Amino acid sequence: GARARVRPRRRGTRGTMRTSVAWTDMPPERDGVRSVCHSLAHSPDGTQLVAGVGSRVLVYNASDGDLLHSLKGHKDAVYAVSYALDGKHFASGAADKTVIIWTNAGGGFLRYSHADAIQCLAYNPRGPELASATASEFGLWSPTQKAVAKHRCTGKVLSLAWTHDGTYLALGQFDGCVSVRDKAGHEKVKIATRGPCWSVSWAPKQRSVLVPVPDVDGNQNLRGGDDAHVCAVGCWDGTLSFYNLNGSPVGRAKRLGYDPNDVSFFGDGECVVVGGANKAVALVTKEGVDLVTISKHKSWVWCARQRPGHNAVAVGCDDGSVSMHTLGFGTVHGLHENRYAFRDAMTDVVVQHLVSGEKVRIKCGDLVTKIAVYKNQLAVQLPTCVILYHTLNPENDDDTRYAVTTKIERALECSLLVNTSGHLILCQEKKLQLLDFHGVLEREWGFESVVRYIKVVGGPPGKEGILVGSKDGHIYKIFIDNPFPVVLVKHTSGIRCLDLSRDRGKVAAVDDTSSVVVYDVSTKTLVFEDKTRGANSLSWNAEFDDMLAYSGDGKLCVRTGDFTPHTQKLDGFVVGFKGSKVFCLDQTSVQTVDVPQSNSVMRYLERGEHDAAYAVACLGVADHDWRALGIHALDAMRLDVARKCFIRIRDMRFLELLNRVERGVKRGDGEAVFRAESLAYQGRFQEAAKAFAKAGHMEKAMEMFSDLRQFDEAKAWAETYSVNTGEDGGGMREFVHRQAEWAEESSDYGSAATMYVQAKQWDKAVALFGKMNNADKLVEVMRALGEGETKTLRKCAEHFVRLGDTTHAREAYGKLNDHAGLIALFVKSEHWDDAFAALRLHPQFGDKVYLPYAGWLADHDRFDEARAAYQRAGKAELSTHMLEQLTHNAVLERRFKDAGYCYWLMSDEIASALRRAKNKNGVDVDLSPSHQTELDRFVEFKDRSEIYYAYDIVHRAMDEPFRTSLPSTLLNAGQFLVTKFSQRHEMPLGVSLAYVLITLATHGETLGAYKLTRFAYGKLQNLRVPKHLSHKVDLACVLSRAKPFTDAEELLPICFRCMSANPLVSGTGETCATCGGAFVRSFVTFEHLPVVEFFVEEGIAGKEARRLIEQEPIDLEPARASQPAGGGDVLGGDQKMFFDDHSGFDGTHDAEDPFTIAMGVLNTPIVCTREMLKALPPNDVVIRPSGCVHVPTRYFRVMDPDVPVTVDEAGNVFESDEYELACLEQGRTPFTRKPVFAETEMASAPPVEPDTPPAMHRTPSRGWGVAKGVASVQKMDFGNADENAKENANAGETKHEP
């Protein structure tokens, strides 16, 4: 609570500030010079005082005033002295115009002179430089210089002062100016005042700028602003003023009422010592507030200087006296709970929150004499008034923001001051006065003895209780709303300090004998007394009823209950005690001291007082103390206390134990088991095992040691258990199992696996042996396993497979009778012969063999075999996907012949799928959308295969250095490609139309096809031509216009139906421009073949048409009838037809022949009936299968018996001689790449025809496959060529014989 204590008064002028004379000396007059002390100087360490008195320089011991030296060196009065920073030298200056530098032992060191009397001296506080000044000049001397640097002044210099950092020098002049110079003597600032500047002094450190701030009265007070040098100037116009380094005034000048002769800062610069014509020395604040009169004298004071490191001031007067005066600053403070307020800088109040450490400073603007704190109220007594403050947020105990509540405008004389929530209590010797916050007296209490101590002990607002201690030993309790004091205790000695316990049951006091006494309030009996500690203060704990702290003789004692007090070192006074923190006042600062509570907790536990121990622990103990308390409470079955302790330290293990104990208690289990478990949790395992055995639960001891991996101990207890119970020790296997688990956790896998084998834990043993890659041990385990251990055997097999041990893996799978696993083993190890051998015995696993086998074949570039394997595995989509990738890669790598072959293979797979789908349905139905899509893909892929096959010839001729194809072949291939492009919407990927046109133009010009050449060059003008060919193309285009606009007649294709000539390139595609008959090219030289296409009558199936054709016509000549069917040899599995010289075909057909009649009807398909088919010579008919059941077979009649024709599996037609030559050169068929051996004839399977011919007209397909086109084909303009062909046909010109 708020408290106040009476202190004995000493001589002083203001409140608790005291002054006294340490020593004084009155030197006699010597050498005929009047004794006047003009100047004083202290050594830096404060041990010596140098005084200039008369013509002598006197050196005193600053502590006791003994005269050490009386130095005679000047012939006239000494006006100035100054001590150097190093403490080895000091200087003196006199009216004899000389400056003498002395050693600290009193010997002369150096002398120099000026033109006038020396007025003042000043050593640089940061160096050896010495400044000296006269009426007309000032000089700067340094040991490093040979001469004194002298500078002229505008007026007589009366005083000198260096800044604390030694960078600038201030000269106070008689003309009222202060000149600020740098170390070189140059003037930096000049400050003008109104009177002679008799004294100047810089603040001892760079401090805050003093700026005017209004106080509660509206007066201007000086407050700290930005850091700057501050100079105090005492002028003989009776003022004290402050300036910063740039010459600006700091605050307003203080009018003193007398002329100051000397001004110097005191301490850290918060106060200023002023001596002058009023014959006194005063201590004033930097704002000019008078604090105390240090001394009064009989004559003027010429000099006053603080002794370094001491609260003492040396004074020199006009009568020659030299004296030392000490200052005592009493502590002005107040305390209530967590708030401590104290005086700082004499005029400020600092409020500190002891728990949070937050501080706030309140500027009062006058000397603070008393401070009282209670809850959120603060009372500050000044010499003329009392100011009351309150916090801005009364509900927040941590708020330290204060605002003025009211002000009592009168001086209140009192020895003690405390406050409550609405009143002030003043102590005046033997009486107490109660005033409200307006200064109105409400109540007064009188006592027989002097009141020594007052403390507010709380209570409702307006009814607070006050504890009073008097000099006669009485302790009173007063309620401020009751006029009658209540005597609590009558002690035998005067009370110096007292406090009331939290429960109001005990009162403690420190008496005049420095003893500590504790009384029981209810019985008024003495319960404790300590006379040996030299106590000076005490305080009860605010959170525990029976805990007292008191201090004295440099020790802190803490007494809990009736235990022996705990002591520790402490300097100062105990002013508060909360929890485990003691608040100690040391001079003007409060320190927080942590008090250990472990000893008190242990003392209570020894008595079994768990509730008291828990209450003490709540004040603040370490985690191990909480754990000890919790364990002790658990042993005593105080589960509530134990739970709270373990929750505090978040010990989940003991909390789980508590839960088990509580459940056991509800079941009625014995407490002995719980105590044993508690011992185990504490790590006292042997004691726990004995406790388990004593409680009759020896199996728990075995389990405990097993969990601890102390298997030897567990086995020993197991043997003991077996002996005691007579039971078989079947738990040994369990111990082995646990030991194995521990070895596994310790990464000792070998030992763990061996122990698992001993414990018959086969699966774990196999897992560890597999982890160690120990194949030998795995073999041993595998062979030791029975056939029923399928899971473990399978694990062994898997490990063998992983380790590459095929032999033992096969053994394991054989033991399992696992055929699927065995086949998988062969597949994984790529033992394909073994895999297929096993597959023959177990064909149901075909997909498990063929699919990986296909992937292996594809990885080894055996793609045809891989396709077959995919088909066998039923994964046709994978085969197709592989072909798509191969196709795309071939196009990107410019292997166009391979691309054409791959497209044909994809079309063949689509045709096979469609054939299987039709065979599955069994009847002809309309195509489903999905089948229609597949059919479109078939046609597109077939078309692309032909394009890439032909383009390969062109590409090689353009990019390879040597040409292998004849110009006519290149010309024919180019015509074929241009015709194909004209019927497509986009170009296939990788195909260059520019290359095709350049080929046409180049070789057309060579062979005389000038019209075709000009056509090709014209189209090239609209295309992007490769850079290395662009110039050649442009030049050739120009030169081609000089050639005739005609094509060589022998180059024009002849229609073998109407015998009319056709242009080389036509917009009608591969059909005759006159009769519409289809052209068929040989897929080696791309020459037109002498065939005429015909169709079978609707309703005639493909098989029936073949049968009718193969019948021997009845009207044929015997010679022809003797010709063998097939008309010739069969090579490479492909059909070859030819005509002999005795066929009777002479270029014309019988006019009565229905086929000849049908040929004469132009632009009409030739449709053969059954009779017409029977009449056709079999050797004259070429059946061109489509390869797809949904695409009709095409039929042709060979018109030139000298040109035999061959059809391959893809339906491509060849001139037989060319075909045979190509097969011999390449060793395989040109397009389908079937192997051909010269010594072996290979028969081909008959082509497949649908039973019912599909529709003859379908929508063209486009855009299928992986290698899609990237550029639209510009529509070819073949108008001129078509018109010329029609004109020739109409005019009956250019008819060619076959």
Side-chain angles (χ1 to χ4, degrees):
R3 62 180 72 188
R5 177 188 301 172
V6 175
R7 295 185 181 273
R9 283 185 176 270
R10 297 183 183 179
R11 184 177 62 83
T13 58
R14 302 287 296 273
T16 57
M17 189 177 299
R18 306 175 303 278
T19 62
S20 61
V21 180
W23 57 267
T24 185
D25 184 33
M26 183 69 71
E29 183 176 322
R30 295 184 178 91
D31 305 325
V33 180
R34 179 172 170 266
S35 293
V36 178
C37 183
H38 289 101
S39 181
L40 295 171
H42 286 281
S43 63
D45 58 3
T47 58
Q48 292 183 357
L49 174 66
V50 178
V53 181
S55 62
R56 298 293 181 96
V57 177
L58 306 180
V59 181
Y60 293 94
N61 185 319
S63 299
D64 53 16
D66 288 346
L67 182 64
L68 302 178
H69 305 285
S70 178
L71 305 178
K72 181 179 180 182
H74 294 284
K75 299 178 181 179
D76 206 339
V78 177
Y79 287 152
V81 293
S82 180
Y83 226 111
L85 172 67
D86 59 4
K88 298 179 179 179
H89 302 88
F90 60 87
S92 60
D96 61 0
K97 306 177 185 179
T98 61
V99 175
I100 301 177
I101 299 177
W102 311 83
T103 65
N104 57 358
F109 177 73
L110 181 69
R111 179 195 298 264
Y112 68 88
S113 61
H114 281 271
D116 294 312
I118 308 300
Q119 299 294 323
C120 49
L121 295 173
Y123 260 109
N124 192 319
R126 290 292 181 269
E129 296 88 357
L130 174 65
S132 55
T134 67
S136 59
E137 63 181 12
F138 76 95
L140 294 173
W141 172 85
S142 174
T144 60
Q145 297 176 352
K146 295 182 179 180
V148 178
K150 297 180 180 180
H151 306 274
R152 301 296 298 176
C153 298
T154 58
K156 182 179 181 180
V157 180
L158 301 176
S159 56
L160 290 173
W162 289 92
T163 58
H164 75 279
D165 57 3
T167 55
Y168 296 101
L169 177 67
L171 285 67
Q173 299 179 174
F174 186 81
D175 59 2
C177 293
V178 177
S179 176
V180 180
R181 306 288 182 115
D182 58 17
K183 296 175 72 171
H186 302 133
E187 186 175 71
K188 181 179 183 293
V189 176
K190 193 169 186 178
I191 303 171
T193 64
R194 297 181 179 180
C197 300
W198 204 264
S199 179
V200 294
S201 177
W202 292 96
K205 63 180 180 179
Q206 191 172 8
R207 58 178 303 99
S208 300
V209 176
L210 302 178
V211 296
V213 176
D215 61 7
V216 294
D217 300 323
N219 298 324
Q220 299 292 325
N221 294 327
L222 298 179
R223 301 290 178 86
D226 297 331
D227 286 346
H229 296 277
V230 176
C231 181
V233 180
C235 299
W236 268 18
D237 61 351
T239 61
L240 174 63
S241 55
F242 298 89
Y243 298 89
N244 57 28
L245 191 58
N246 60 14
S248 301
V250 180
R252 294 183 300 180
K254 171 68 175 178
R255 189 159 295 280
L256 300 174
Y258 59 88
D259 293 334
N261 294 334
D262 187 75
V263 175
S264 64
F265 281 92
F266 185 87
D268 59 357
E270 294 291 342
C271 304
V272 180
V273 177
V274 181
N278 62 341
K279 304 178 182 180
V281 178
L283 185 66
V284 300
T285 66
K286 59 183 180 295
E287 291 88 357
V289 178
D290 291 331
L291 298 178
V292 65
T293 298
I294 298 174
S295 61
K296 292 185 178 180
H297 303 272
K298 297 178 181 179
S299 61
W300 283 19
V301 175
W302 288 110
C303 185
R305 289 287 186 274
Q306 181 190 4
R307 181 182 178 188
H310 297 77
N311 289 333
V313 176
V315 180
C317 300
D318 188 69
D319 59 3
S321 63
V322 179
S323 58
M324 185 72 71
H325 302 265
T326 59
L327 283 75
F329 297 93
T331 302
V332 178
H333 63 123
L335 174 71
H336 177 73
E337 295 181 350
N338 295 330
R339 297 177 187 269
Y340 174 67
F342 61 93
R343 180 178 68 183
D344 187 44
M346 307 305 291
T347 61
D348 296 346
V349 175
V350 177
V351 182
Q352 177 183 358
H353 196 283
L354 297 178
V355 176
S356 66
E358 186 177 358
K359 293 182 180 181
V360 62
R361 178 181 295 271
I362 300 174
K363 298 282 187 177
C364 298
D366 203 347
L367 177 64
V368 176
T369 58
K370 297 285 189 302
I371 298 175
V373 182
Y374 182 74
K375 294 184 178 179
N376 66 323
Q377 303 288 339
L378 172 66
V380 179
Q381 184 181 17
L382 304 178
T384 58
C385 64
V386 176
I387 303 176
L388 301 169
Y389 299 87
H390 69 280
T391 59
L392 296 180
N393 186 5
E395 303 298 329
N396 185 5
D397 293 337
D398 296 332
D399 188 17
T400 55
R401 299 170 300 164
Y402 282 90
V404 176
T405 301
T406 185
K407 182 178 180 182
I408 301 176
E409 293 284 0
R410 61 190 177 93
L412 299 176
E413 292 294 334
C414 62
S415 57
L416 299 175
L417 174 68
V418 295
N419 68 324
T420 64
S421 59
H423 297 83
L424 291 177
I425 300 172
L426 280 66
C427 176
Q428 297 174 344
E429 298 294 338
K430 297 183 179 181
K431 66 178 179 180
L432 298 179
Q433 291 181 336
L434 180 70
L435 282 70
D436 64 11
F437 282 172
H438 298 287
V440 178
L441 179 65
E442 292 187 358
R443 189 168 283 107
E444 188 174 276
W445 298 275
F447 302 92
E448 297 179 357
S449 179
V450 175
V451 175
R452 287 277 194 85
Y453 195 89
I454 306 174
K455 179 177 182 180
V456 181
V457 294
K463 298 181 180 181
E464 289 88 354
I466 303 174
L467 208 61
V468 179
S470 63
K471 186 176 182 180
D472 60 0
H474 283 65
I475 300 176
Y476 301 92
K477 187 174 183 180
I478 300 175
F479 294 97
I480 63 174
D481 61 342
N482 192 322
F484 303 104
V486 178
V487 179
L488 293 181
V489 174
K490 293 182 180 179
H491 188 55
T492 57
S493 181
I495 304 299
R496 291 169 52 189
C497 181
L498 58 87
D499 196 11
L500 191 65
S501 64
R502 192 184 70 156
D503 61 354
R504 305 292 193 268
K506 296 178 182 179
V507 62
V510 176
D511 60 16
D512 286 341
T513 64
S514 299
S515 299
V516 176
V517 293
V518 178
Y519 285 91
D520 187 294
V521 174
S522 59
T523 62
K524 302 186 185 308
T525 59
L526 181 67
V527 297
F528 172 73
E529 183 177 12
D530 187 354
K531 296 182 178 181
T532 63
R533 308 293 180 179
N536 53 28
S537 60
L538 56 79
S539 178
W540 288 98
N541 197 313
E543 296 181 356
F544 189 77
D545 296 334
D546 204 6
M547 187 175 293
L548 177 68
Y550 55 93
S551 64
D553 292 340
K555 294 183 179 180
L556 170 68
C557 300
V558 178
R559 181 177 183 270
T560 303
D562 56 356
F563 303 131
T564 303
H566 166 77
T567 62
Q568 64 185 76
K569 291 184 178 181
L570 177 71
D571 294 326
F573 300 87
V574 172
V575 295
F577 190 12
K578 185 174 183 179
S580 61
K581 298 183 182 298
V582 174
F583 304 117
C584 172
L585 175 64
D586 186 9
Q587 295 182 356
T588 60
S589 63
V590 173
Q591 301 175 352
T592 302
V593 179
D594 290 323
V595 177
Q597 303 290 353
S598 302
N599 188 45
S600 301
V601 172
M602 294 300 109
R603 297 282 183 87
Y604 279 121
L605 289 181
E606 291 173 359
R607 293 184 178 181
E609 299 180 17
H610 296 92
D611 292 329
Y614 177 77
V616 173
C618 289
L619 301 180
V621 293
D623 286 352
H624 66 272
D625 295 319
W626 279 111
R627 183 172 288 103
L629 175 57
I631 292 172
H632 200 283
L634 177 60
D635 292 340
M637 296 305 291
R638 286 296 308 273
L639 303 183
D640 55 339
V641 176
R643 179 174 293 279
K644 289 187 288 186
C645 293
F646 294 131
I647 288 176
R648 282 268 188 167
I649 59 177
R650 295 177 174 84
D651 194 329
M652 301 306 299
R653 296 189 308 111
F654 273 99
L655 287 174
E656 292 175 0
L657 176 61
L658 279 173
N659 293 334
R660 291 207 309 272
V661 171
E662 289 177 349
R663 291 194 295 267
V665 170
K666 292 180 180 179
R667 292 194 303 267
D669 297 342
E671 296 181 359
V673 177
F674 304 143
R675 291 192 178 93
E677 290 185 355
S678 175
L679 290 172
Y681 272 74
Q682 297 174 50
R684 299 157 63 182
F685 303 115
Q686 292 296 336
E687 298 177 46
K690 294 177 181 178
F692 280 128
K694 187 176 181 180
H697 290 277
M698 194 175 295
E699 70 281 0
K700 289 185 176 292
M702 295 185 291
E703 182 180 356
M704 176 186 69
F705 284 117
S706 296
D707 292 340
L708 292 171
R709 307 296 187 264
Q710 298 179 11
F711 298 104
D712 294 337
E713 290 285 345
K715 291 177 183 178
W717 281 96
E719 293 173 358
T720 304
Y721 179 76
S722 299
V723 171
N724 293 339
T725 61
E727 298 180 2
D728 183 17
M732 282 297 181
R733 182 176 298 177
E734 178 65 23
F735 289 134
V736 173
H737 172 67
R738 293 193 178 187
Q739 189 174 3
E741 288 181 342
W742 173 78
E744 183 179 357
E745 291 176 2
S746 303
S747 300
D748 188 3
Y749 300 121
S751 301
T754 303
M755 285 184 278
Y756 278 134
V757 171
Q758 296 174 2
K760 305 299 183 182
Q761 297 287 334
W762 304 111
D763 53 345
K764 294 186 177 180
V766 168
L768 288 180
F769 284 137
K771 189 173 184 178
M772 298 167 58
N773 297 329
N774 194 331
D776 295 336
K777 292 292 184 181
L778 283 172
V779 171
E780 294 177 6
V781 173
M782 177 195 68
R783 291 173 178 171
L785 291 172
E787 294 182 357
E789 300 285 345
T790 56
K791 183 178 179 180
T792 308
L793 281 171
R794 193 174 302 280
K795 287 290 184 182
C796 289
E798 291 175 357
H799 286 303
F800 287 135
V801 171
R802 180 177 58 81
L803 296 174
D805 190 349
T806 309
T807 303
H808 292 105
R810 182 181 299 186
E811 181 181 349
Y813 281 122
K815 198 170 184 179
L816 281 169
N817 198 25
D818 185 359
H819 306 297
L822 187 59
I823 289 176
L825 171 65
F826 293 145
V827 169
K828 186 172 183 179
S829 59
E830 297 181 355
H831 293 171
W832 301 112
D833 294 338
D834 295 335
F836 284 110
L839 184 61
R840 283 192 292 272
L841 298 176
H842 306 284
Q844 66 271 23
F845 302 114
D847 57 336
K848 297 184 180 299
V849 176
Y850 282 111
L851 191 59
Y853 181 57
W856 180 81
L857 289 172
D859 291 339
H860 290 77
D861 296 339
R862 296 164 63 179
F863 301 112
D864 291 336
E865 298 174 68
R867 288 179 52 242
Y870 279 130
Q871 296 292 343
R872 292 291 299 273
K875 297 292 183 179
E877 67 278 4
L878 295 179
S879 174
T880 303
H881 179 67
M882 182 183 69
L883 278 177
E884 289 177 348
Q885 288 183 325
L886 291 173
T887 304
H888 189 67
N889 293 340
V891 172
L892 295 180
E893 296 171 8
R894 301 295 187 266
R895 295 183 288 104
F896 298 107
K897 198 168 185 178
D898 293 341
Y901 174 68
C902 292
Y903 269 120
W904 172 71
L905 291 177
M906 284 195 290
S907 67
D908 186 59
E909 287 193 353
I910 295 172
S912 299
L914 292 174
R915 185 183 307 112
R916 289 192 297 271
K918 183 174 181 180
N919 293 338
K920 183 178 180 181
N921 294 332
V923 295
D924 292 336
V925 295
D926 293 338
L927 288 174
S928 65
S930 61
H931 288 168
Q932 181 62 51
T933 301
E934 291 299 307
L935 181 58
D936 292 342
R937 294 180 70 234
F938 167 79
V939 175
E940 174 65 17
F941 288 170
K942 192 73 176 295
D943 190 55
R944 288 195 180 190
S945 68
E946 296 175 358
I947 291 175
Y948 282 120
Y949 177 80
Y951 182 72
D952 183 74
I953 301 173
V954 174
H955 176 74
R956 289 177 181 275
M958 290 293 296
D959 281 0
E960 293 182 359
F962 300 102
R963 187 177 70 234
T964 59
S965 300
L966 297 174
S968 58
T969 301
L970 294 172
L971 183 65
N972 294 333
Q975 295 176 56
F976 173 75
L977 289 172
V978 169
T979 304
K980 284 284 189 181
F981 297 159
S982 66
Q983 298 172 356
R984 297 180 59 84
H985 294 275
E986 61 181 12
M987 294 288 291
L989 181 66
V991 175
S992 172
L993 180 58
Y995 271 23
V996 175
L997 292 175
I998 291 172
T999 300
L1000 283 177
T1002 303
H1003 299 288
E1005 185 176 5
T1006 302
L1007 297 175
Y1010 303 120
K1011 184 176 180 181
L1012 176 63
T1013 300
R1014 187 177 300 185
F1015 163 79
Y1017 282 133
K1019 294 301 179 181
L1020 282 171
Q1021 300 306 310
N1022 298 323
L1023 299 178
R1024 182 183 298 172
V1025 180
K1027 290 185 178 180
H1028 66 284
L1029 297 176
S1030 60
H1031 179 70
K1032 182 189 293 186
V1033 169
D1034 293 340
L1035 180 60
C1037 180
V1038 174
L1039 295 176
S1040 66
R1041 297 186 180 277
K1043 302 295 177 65
F1045 190 61
T1046 58
D1047 294 328
E1049 186 173 334
E1050 63 273 11
L1051 297 178
L1052 297 178
I1054 303 300
C1055 175
F1056 288 89
R1057 178 178 177 179
C1058 63
M1059 305 306 292
S1060 61
N1062 282 267
L1064 292 177
V1065 178
S1066 171
T1068 59
E1070 289 289 304
T1071 58
C1072 177
T1074 302
C1075 65
F1079 289 123
V1080 179
R1081 293 181 181 270
S1082 172
F1083 260 60
V1084 175
T1085 60
F1086 287 91
E1087 291 281 355
H1088 286 96
L1089 294 174
V1091 295
V1092 175
E1093 185 177 11
F1094 67 90
F1095 301 90
V1096 298
E1097 187 179 28
E1098 186 175 357
I1100 301 177
K1103 293 181 179 179
E1104 182 183 0
R1106 175 178 287 274
R1107 181 176 53 80
L1108 293 173
I1109 293 172
E1110 290 177 350
Q1111 291 182 4
E1112 191 71 22
I1114 57 175
D1115 56 347
L1116 291 180
E1117 297 177 357
R1120 293 189 58 185
S1122 63
Q1123 290 286 340
D1129 299 331
V1130 176
L1131 179 64
D1134 295 315
Q1135 186 179 9
K1136 183 181 71 172
M1137 295 187 178
F1138 57 89
F1139 295 90
D1140 56 17
D1141 296 336
H1142 303 286
S1143 61
F1145 184 79
D1146 55 359
T1148 60
H1149 293 81
D1150 187 0
E1152 301 295 332
D1153 182 11
F1155 191 89
T1156 304
I1157 296 173
M1159 286 176 56
V1161 183
L1162 302 181
N1163 295 316
T1164 301
I1166 301 173
V1167 180
C1168 292
T1169 61
R1170 286 179 173 85
E1171 291 74 13
M1172 295 174 65
L1173 292 175
K1174 292 179 181 180
L1176 289 175
N1179 294 339
D1180 293 351
V1181 178
V1182 176
I1183 300 176
R1184 184 179 183 182
S1186 64
C1188 178
V1189 295
H1190 296 288
V1191 178
T1193 302
R1194 299 180 68 181
Y1195 301 89
F1196 297 90
R1197 184 174 182 179
V1198 180
M1199 306 306 295
D1200 187 352
D1202 295 331
V1203 183
V1205 176
T1206 299
V1207 180
D1208 65 2
E1209 291 182 352
N1212 296 320
V1213 185
F1214 301 86
E1215 196 276 323
S1216 296
D1217 294 338
E1218 297 173 352
Y1219 181 74
E1220 291 176 1
L1221 181 59
C1223 289
L1224 293 175
E1225 289 178 351
Q1226 302 176 17
R1228 61 186 181 182
T1229 57
F1231 190 87
T1232 59
R1233 301 188 178 184
K1234 298 297 181 182
V1236 174
F1237 304 97
E1239 64 276 8
T1240 305
E1241 292 186 357
M1242 300 178 62
S1244 61
V1248 179
E1249 298 89 2
D1251 292 336
T1252 303
M1256 296 171 56
H1257 302 286
R1258 294 183 303 102
T1259 303
S1261 62
R1262 59 176 176 174
W1264 298 103
V1266 177
K1268 295 184 177 180
V1270 297
S1272 298
V1273 182
Q1274 183 179 5
K1275 186 176 180 181
M1276 296 291 182
D1277 183 8
F1278 303 106
N1280 295 333
D1282 294 344
E1283 291 176 2
N1284 294 337
K1286 290 181 180 179
E1287 290 176 0
N1288 295 338
N1290 294 334
E1293 298 177 356
T1294 322
K1295 292 293 184 177
H1296 296 271
E1297 296 296 330

